[in-house]
């Protein structure tokens, strides 16, 4: 609006009376700002000059005083005493003001946010007032908008004062941008009160305050990353300059040039000015709107030079930041009432798919848990497609577990657990473990109470987790050590072949329908006939481990009775129970027999096909379900738990449970109690189970066999010790035969040179029933962790004469690296050679071994996944191609019927079977470790497995001759849903590793020996996993047409032996043209399952308190030597009588033992160098 040529109506529209409406007083408003700025600047300069002069004068006057002080005539302290006291209160006020404006306190943050919000409000008021004339009259008491703006400026003035007080350099403070904004916006508002006239003026400068928005957003923790802060700074700077420049154009164009008496104005709205500057900055320049005033054109000239450069640099950078913004940024917003877990670590399609397949399995109860993945890199296309298929259960966020900001994004503090996956195929396992341990440290540092489950590759790295203060297994924290479990399963397979396959199938979630779909084909797209061995094997694959509380109907019953009832009536296999010893402590007892009675709240460990089936043990009621024959009809009834009658009334049963506690005195002392809060972590439960008992003589096909006499069973069942306690103490206390925990056999440190055998020395030994470990590794290879393989083979619940000799065949340089962890185990020998050398294999009598284990430490060095297992596959094929002229091992047929390879009828009875060595290497029992599952197709050339067949349905895996670490993937989800399951599995596999032992090993000094006291010997009393033959021994009555249910009930009730599976020959019919010696695993067969004479039964058998054999190298007192001599003479007389009766065949001194009837608990005398112990 031109104020030079106003009409009367236009003049009155300004709110001023005539002739005031024709007057312009903009210069007064502008002068107030200039006077304030320059006046203050002059005062600051004068004050600085005054201060400089005074300080200089003070230094001159202080010089004589300082000199006098140096001469001992005075002190300079008094000179500055008054100045220091005056500065003290000023410094306090300055620090207080600085804390406010820097938002160091809550009140300071509130103040900064209020000032920013008022600045935004002031800009909005300015934009609103641009619709009115540039200069106008008004009534102070009537203009509400002006009153609000006045209140805003009062607060701005207060904030300016705080900033001035806190400034360290007031000159630079006076010249900074925010101060200039205040100079040209605050004084005019007070001038308008006096003039009763309003000038729009330079209030658009308040838009520059928008550049403080990123700082405010950082205070509110909205901006956390450097990219987001940078993006906010660029955008706010660009918008602030844009809006400020638009305000200047609006002022000069609507006012006109002052030297022309404002006669050339152009009416433009504020938004038209914003549009003009945008098309100018972007170099588009439509020309529909342009500056007409001279001041406007001059401003546009300079603005284009600066704004164009800014636009050209800012906009591409902004677009780059926006385009480079992580697709998987943001934060997790969970649904109310739905839990979530954080999955991190090694995130790939393979690892995530294996985890999710087991985690969301349909056999579990409804899984109302969402999985939130956190990883540094963006997912590949396969993983993205997987997320889309499971978008209802999965969310992916890109970030680092080591960054607390990213942990906040995934809401770790409210997560149910955090799971850390490891890269099983990495080149450096120690580095991978170190990375995962750092992730755990970061997680625990952010939230100490979060339940954490981590995968580690090496056993020795578990010790570092104990250094984390907030790591607490009692709260559910757990570690899954892949080397410990992998080698433990392989070790158990040396004692009971097929056990690794059975355990791997039990802790993996698979339904029967999936097993049928996964059934292998013959390579031509057609499924193999269901009448073959796959039918029974796949049926067992549908079983898993579950936990469920027992019904009150079982109260007062012994474990043996409950297990028998569950198997026969409920079709459930109960293998262990958790017993609460008081309100806080509990223990897990595996097959405790009649020693333990169940009571209210007893938790059972079951093997069943689904979680719904296990509910039968909880729902069972004698009143409602006593007459039901179909277990599928057992559902929850309306009876209260207190009204459910027990199945057996025992008047001697103490309902208080004290009898149970007394019965548990047999539990190893160092494992007896574990803190119980609903979670049992590794080692928190008693280890009453261990590795299977080795057989005396190996059988073709890797039969781990145990002959158990009727008399020995009666001794165990009646609980009769082999010697009185006082005599046992006298025999054992003066030597160390076991480690300090009593869980493993121990010997003094053995020098590695004493354990090395040359090829000739090995050939002179009578190696029989031993374990050959073939190792592909060199001095630069990462550690395999052979201690985890040896420990289960040296469990203390074996007698010394039952221990299998172990021969390590491989590079001596590598074995030296492992020897520090093996030197305290007895009967371990080394042959420096190559697993591919047939001469080395023959020298250790590989055809007479119980198991040949093939391991490699070089599996992660090849980039081609199919070549990762080349060494182990070549060694396996090389051994299978070997022939041995000193063994028979050929298929025989007789009038007795079909007998599998390696078992020949003797004396006309199929029950009397002689031991046969392996005539060909294909019959040597072996287990090969694989990295790539698909490489299993190369192990057996005669198998018809399709390359795309899943590992668990291939013949080598089903027969227990192949093992891949991938089968342990499902342990992560199994541990999350049931932390007791890992404790049970670890105890069955490791042979009794305890937290106490892990603490000892963490010291790095190796295992320590313990004096053989009765308390230490008590720790040996724990269950074993064994294989019992059907064709002889106490189970022989079921060899011809017996049913598995009958055998199960007989073994459990009479001998307290719990059966849980069958190891059967693959070819069991005489119509088979070329029958194989391979066996396969049948897990938890049904009651009516028919047995065969050649079947081997997987069992949980209690410890046998038989007489211990003499230990080599022991120091004996004269009394003990005399007693031992008397016993030895008695044994010689007994052997002479047996020899006269023709019951014992003598062994040749230089050859192999002759064929003799199978007695598996008494090893033939071996000519090993026992002084090595």
């Amino acid at each position: 609006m031109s104020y030079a040529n106003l009409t009367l109506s236009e003049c009155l529209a300004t709110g001023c009376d005539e002739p005031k409406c024709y007057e312009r007083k903009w210069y007064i408003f502008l002068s107030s700002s200039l006077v304030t700025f320059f006046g203050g600047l002059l005062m600051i300069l004068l004050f600085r000059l005054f201060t400089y002069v005074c300080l200089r004068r003070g230094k001159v006057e202080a010089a004589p005083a300082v000199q006098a002080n140096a001469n001992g005539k005075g002190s300079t302290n008094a000179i500055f005493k008054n100045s220091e006291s005056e500065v003290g209160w000023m410094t306090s006020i300055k620090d207080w003001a600085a804390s406010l404006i820097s938002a160091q306190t809550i009140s300071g943050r509130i103040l900064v946010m209020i000032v920013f919000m008022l600045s935004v409000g002031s800009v909005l008021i300015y934009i609103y007032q641009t619709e009115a004339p540039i200069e106008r009259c008004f009534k102070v008491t009537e203009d509400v908008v002006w009153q609000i703006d006045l209140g805003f400026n009062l607060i701005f003035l207060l904030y300016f004062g705080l900033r001035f007080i806190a400034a360290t350099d007031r000159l630079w403070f006076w010249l900074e941008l925010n101060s200039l904004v205040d100079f040209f916006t605050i004084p005019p508002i007070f001038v308008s009160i006096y003039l009763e006239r309003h000038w729009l003026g330079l209030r658009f400068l308040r838009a520059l305050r928008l550049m403080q928005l990123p700082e405010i957003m950082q205070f509110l923790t909205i901006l956390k990353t450097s990219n987001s802060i940078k993006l906010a700074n660029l955008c706010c700077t660009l918008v602030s300059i844009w809006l400020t420049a638009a305000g200047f154009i609006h002022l000069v164009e609507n006012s006109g040039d002052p030297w022309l008496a404002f006669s050339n104005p152009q009416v433009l709205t504020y938004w038209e000015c914003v549009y003009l500057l945008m098309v100018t900055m972007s170099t588009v320049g439509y020309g529909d709107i342009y500056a007409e005033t001279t001041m406007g054109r001059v401003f546009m000239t300079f603005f284009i030079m600066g704004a164009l450069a800014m636009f050209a640099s800012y906009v591409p950078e902004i677009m780059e930041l926006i385009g480079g913004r992580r697709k998987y940024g943001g934060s997790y917003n969970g649904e109310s009432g739905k839990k979530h877990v954080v999955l991190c670590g090694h995130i790939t399609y393979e690892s995530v798919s294996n985890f999710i397949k087991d985690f969301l399995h349909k056999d579990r109860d409804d899984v109302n848990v969402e999985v939130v993945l956190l990883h540094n890199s963006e997912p590949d296309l396969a993983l993205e497609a997987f997320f889309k298929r499971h978008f209802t259960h999965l969310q992916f966020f890109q970030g680092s577990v080591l960054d607390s900001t990213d942990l906040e994004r995934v809401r770790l503090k409210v997560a149910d657990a955090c799971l850390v996956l490891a890269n099983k195929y990495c080149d450096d396992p120690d580095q991978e473990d170190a990375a995962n341990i750092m992730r755990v440290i970061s997680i625990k540092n952010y939230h100490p109470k979060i339940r954490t489950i981590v995968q580690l590759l090496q056993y020795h790295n578990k010790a570092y987790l104990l250094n984390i203060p907030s790591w607490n297994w009692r709260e559910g924290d757990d570690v899954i050590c892949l080397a410990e479990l992998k080698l433990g399963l392989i070790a158990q397979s040396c004692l009971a072949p097929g056990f690794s396959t059975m355990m791997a199938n039990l802790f993996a979630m698979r339904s029967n329908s999936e097993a049928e779909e996964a059934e292998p084909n013959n390579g031509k797209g057609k499924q193999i006939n269901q009448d073959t061995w796959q039918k029974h094997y796949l049926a067992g694959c549908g079983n898993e481990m579950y936990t469920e509380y027992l019904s009150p109907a079982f109260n007062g019953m012994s474990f043996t009775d409950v297990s028998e009832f569950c198997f026969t009536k409920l079709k459930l296999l109960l293998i262990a129970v958790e017993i609460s010893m008081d309100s806080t402590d509990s223990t897990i007892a595996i097959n405790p027999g009649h020693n333990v009675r169940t009571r209210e709240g007893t938790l059972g460990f079951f093997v069943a096909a689904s979680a719904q089936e296990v509910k039968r043990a909880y729902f069972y009621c004698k009143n409602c379900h006593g007459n039901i024959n179909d277990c599928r009809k057992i559902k929850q009834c309306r009876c209260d738990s207190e009204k459910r009658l027990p199945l057996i009334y025992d008047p001697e049963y103490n309902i208080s449970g004290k009898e149970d506690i007394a019965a548990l005195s047999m539990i190893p002392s160092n494992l007896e109690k574990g803190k119980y809060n609903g979670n049992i972590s590794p080692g928190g439960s008693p280890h009453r189970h261990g590795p299977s008992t080795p057989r005396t003589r190996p059988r073709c096909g890797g039969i781990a066999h145990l002959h158990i006499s009727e008399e020995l069973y009666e001794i165990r069942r009646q609980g009769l010790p082999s010697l009185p306690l006082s005599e046992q103490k006298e025999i054992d206390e003066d030597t160390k035969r076991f480690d300090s925990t009593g869980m493993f056999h121990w010997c003094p440190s053995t020098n590695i040179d004493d354990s090395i055998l040359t090829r000739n020395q090995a050939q002179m030994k009578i190696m029989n029933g031993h374990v050959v470990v073939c190792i592909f590794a060199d001095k630069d290879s990462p550690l395999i962790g052979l201690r985890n393989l040896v420990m289960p083979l040296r469990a203390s619940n074996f007698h010394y004469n039952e221990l299998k000799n172990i021969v390590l065949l491989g590079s001596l340089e590598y074995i030296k690296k492992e020897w520090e962890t093996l030197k305290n185990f007895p009967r371990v020998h080394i042959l420096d050679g190559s697993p591919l050398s047939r001469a080395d294999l023959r020298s250790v009598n590989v055809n007479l071994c119980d198991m040949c284990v093939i391991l490699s430490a070089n599996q992660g060095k090849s980039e081609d996944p199919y070549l990762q297992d080349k060494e182990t596959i070549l060694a396996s094929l090389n051994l299978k191609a070997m022939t041995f002229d000193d063994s028979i091992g050929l298929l025989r047929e007789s009038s007795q019927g079909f007998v599998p390879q390696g078992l020949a009828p003797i004396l006309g009875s199929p029950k009397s079977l002689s031991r046969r060595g392996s005539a060909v290497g294909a019959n040597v029992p072996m287990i090969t470790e694989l990295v790539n599952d698909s490489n299993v197709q190369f192990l057996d050339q005669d198998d018809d497995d399709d390359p795309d067949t899943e590992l668990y349905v291939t013949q080598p895996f089903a027969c227990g001759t192949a093992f891949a670490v991938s089968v342990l993937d499902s342990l992560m989800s199994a541990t999350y849903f049931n932390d007791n399951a890992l404790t049970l599995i670890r105890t069955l596999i490791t042979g009794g590793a305890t937290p106490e032992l892990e603490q000892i090993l963490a010291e790095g000094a190796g295992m320590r020996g313990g004096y053989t006291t009765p308390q230490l010997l008590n720790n040996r009393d724990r269950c074993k996993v064994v294989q019992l033959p059907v064709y002889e021994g106490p189970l022989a009555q079921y060899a011809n047409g017996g049913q598995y249910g009958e055998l199960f009930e007989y073994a459990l009730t009479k001998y307290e032996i719990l059966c849980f599976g069958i190891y059967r020959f693959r070819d069991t019919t005489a119509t088979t043209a070329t029958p194989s010696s391979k066996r396969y695993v049948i897990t938890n067969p049904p009651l009516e399952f028919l047995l065969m004479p050649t079947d081997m039964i997987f069992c949980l058998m209690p410890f046998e308190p038989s007489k211990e054999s003499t230990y080599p190298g022991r120091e004996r007192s004269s009394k003990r030597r005399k007693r031992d001599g008397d016993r030895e003479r008695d044994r010689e007389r007994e052997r002479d009588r047996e020899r006269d009766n023709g019951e014992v065949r003598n062994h040749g001194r230089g050859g192999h033992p002759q064929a003799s009837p199978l007695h598996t608990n008494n090893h033939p005398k071996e000519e090993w160098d026992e002084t090595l112990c």
Side-chain angles (χ1 to χ4, degrees), residues 154-175:
L154 290 173
I155 297 177
F156 295 151
L157 182 61
L158 174 63
Y159 188 66
F160 177 86
L162 291 174
R163 292 172 48 236
F164 181 79
I165 294 174
T168 55
D169 190 336
R170 290 181 174 83
L171 178 60
W172 288 110
F173 164 77
W174 204 260
L175 298 175

Side-chain angles (χ1 to χ4, degrees), residues 121-244:
S122 180
V123 173
L124 296 177
I125 291 176
Y126 163 78
I127 295 174
Y128 170 75
Q129 292 179 342
T130 56
E131 301 297 328
I134 298 296
E135 188 175 339
R136 60 185 176 84
C137 298
F138 73 102
K139 297 292 183 180
V140 175
T141 58
E142 296 178 359
D143 196 333
V144 178
V145 176
W146 181 89
Q147 295 174 0
I148 296 174
D149 194 32
L150 176 63
F152 288 176
N153 281 272
L154 290 173
I155 297 177
F156 295 151
L157 182 61
L158 174 63
Y159 188 66
F160 177 86
L162 291 174
R163 292 172 48 236
F164 181 79
I165 294 174
T168 55
D169 190 336
R170 290 181 174 83
L171 178 60
W172 288 110
F173 164 77
W174 204 260
L175 298 175
E176 69 179 14
L177 180 62
N178 287 335
S179 299
L180 294 176
V181 171
D182 290 335
F183 294 145
F184 288 97
T185 56
I186 295 178
I189 198 72
F190 294 102
V191 173
S192 64
I193 300 175
Y194 174 75
L195 297 178
E196 292 187 345
R197 181 183 290 266
H198 183 76
W199 182 54
L200 197 59
L202 304 179
R203 290 172 56 201
F204 54 80
L205 294 176
R206 282 287 170 198
L208 295 175
R209 286 278 189 181
L210 295 176
M211 288 190 288
Q212 289 185 329
L213 179 60
E215 182 181 353
I216 303 299
M217 297 177 71
Q218 291 181 63
F219 292 157
L220 299 176
T221 66
I222 297 176
L223 300 180
K224 300 178 182 179
T225 62
S226 59
N227 285 342
S228 61
I229 295 174
K230 185 177 181 180
L231 178 62
N233 283 327
L234 292 174
C235 293
C236 290
T237 302
L238 184 63
V239 172
S240 298
I241 295 177
W242 180 20
L243 296 180
T244 303

Side-chain angles (χ1 to χ4, degrees), residues 547-551 578 601-604 606 614 617-619 676 678:
T547 57
E548 185 57 75
Y549 288 99
L550 297 179
S551 168
E578 181 186 65
T602 299
L603 184 69
F606 295 90
V614 180
Y618 179 74
F619 293 148
Y676 176 72

Side-chain angles (χ1 to χ4, degrees), residues 520-536:
N521 55 56
N522 59 4
K524 300 179 181 179
K526 297 181 180 180
Q527 285 191 333
I528 300 175
N529 187 359
Q530 275 284 355
D531 292 334
T532 57
W533 61 270
Q534 287 94 341
K535 176 181 179 180
H536 303 307

Side-chain angles (χ1 to χ4, degrees), residues 245-315:
F248 185 84
I249 290 294
H250 177 269
L251 175 65
V252 298
E253 287 298 311
N254 283 277
S255 299
D257 293 322
W259 53 83
L260 297 178
F262 304 103
S263 60
N264 60 337
Q266 178 185 194
V267 179
L268 292 176
T269 65
Y270 179 78
W271 299 114
E272 288 176 337
C273 296
V274 171
Y275 166 75
L276 170 62
L277 292 179
M278 176 52 67
V279 297
T280 302
M281 285 192 300
S282 61
T283 69
V284 176
Y286 289 114
D288 52 344
I289 300 177
Y290 53 91
E292 294 183 356
T293 63
T294 303
M295 290 184 61
R297 291 176 178 178
V298 172
F299 174 79
M300 292 296 293
T301 301
F302 290 99
F303 178 79
I304 289 175
M305 290 188 293
L308 183 60
M310 183 185 67
F311 188 87
S313 60
Y314 276 33
V315 173

Side-chain angles (χ1 to χ4, degrees), residues 455-467:
Q455 281 185 345
L456 293 182
L457 301 180
Q458 297 287 3
Y459 179 78
H460 59 267
N461 291 326
K462 291 175 63 175
Y464 297 112
L465 292 173
L466 303 177
N467 299 330

Side-chain angles (χ1 to χ4, degrees), residues 98 118 165 206 242 262 271 292 349 379 381 507 519 651 720 736 754 762 886 936 970 1011 1017 1026 1054 1139 1141 1149:
L118 295 182
I165 294 174
R206 282 287 170 198
W242 180 20
F262 304 103
W271 299 114
E292 294 183 356
Y349 172 76
L381 295 178
F507 55 67
E519 184 182 354
L720 298 177
K736 295 181 179 180
D754 296 331
D886 56 349
V936 72
S970 56
Y1011 288 103
L1017 290 176
V1026 301
K1054 187 170 183 180
R1139 188 180 298 108
N1141 295 331
R1149 180 173 297 273

